[in-house]
Amino acid sequence: SFSARAAAGILNSLARLRVRDRELVAHMAAALVCLPLGAHSARTASTAANALARLGWKRRRAFDALSTAVRFLPASSLQPRTISGVANAFVKAGITDLPLLLA
């Protein structure tokens, strides 16, 4: 079991190293899906979404989990830069129904 911070950090490292091990990326994406809503901070959601986009991840389930996590964050933790980072990651991944993210 991974924390949101650990999963986001591992995904970010994989993206920086340009690792293309799809099984490892799938395992980390599945770890994101299994986390409870309160596990993410705005930063971990943004980091994970951007890492998945840089890794070329197209499976929607992890992005949906991150979107839900962002929607349930307290307003005080949301900054324009963070929301912009998450939205840009979704666009890079080809997910364009951003109203779901910001609803």
Side-chain angles (χ1 to χ4, degrees), residues 2-93:
F2 292 94
S3 69
R5 184 176 178 190
I10 292 168
L11 284 168
N12 195 40
S13 294
L14 294 174
R16 257 189 283 132
L17 295 171
R18 297 184 180 154
V19 172
R20 295 294 177 213
D21 182 342
R22 302 312 279 170
E23 286 184 37
L24 182 55
V25 175
H27 180 73
M28 296 313 302
L32 289 174
V33 171
C34 294
L35 291 171
L37 279 180
H40 284 283
S41 67
R43 185 173 183 181
T44 61
S46 179
T47 300
N50 276 295
L52 286 170
R54 290 192 331 261
L55 287 163
W57 192 252
K58 300 293 183 191
R59 294 184 193 157
R60 180 131 187 165
R61 196 166 174 208
F63 287 102
D64 286 343
L66 291 169
S67 173
T68 301
V70 169
R71 280 192 308 235
F72 284 93
L73 288 172
S76 62
S77 72
L78 299 176
Q79 299 173 355
R81 184 176 179 189
T82 304
I83 294 299
S84 174
V86 174
N88 285 334
F90 275 57
V91 170
K92 282 182 208 172

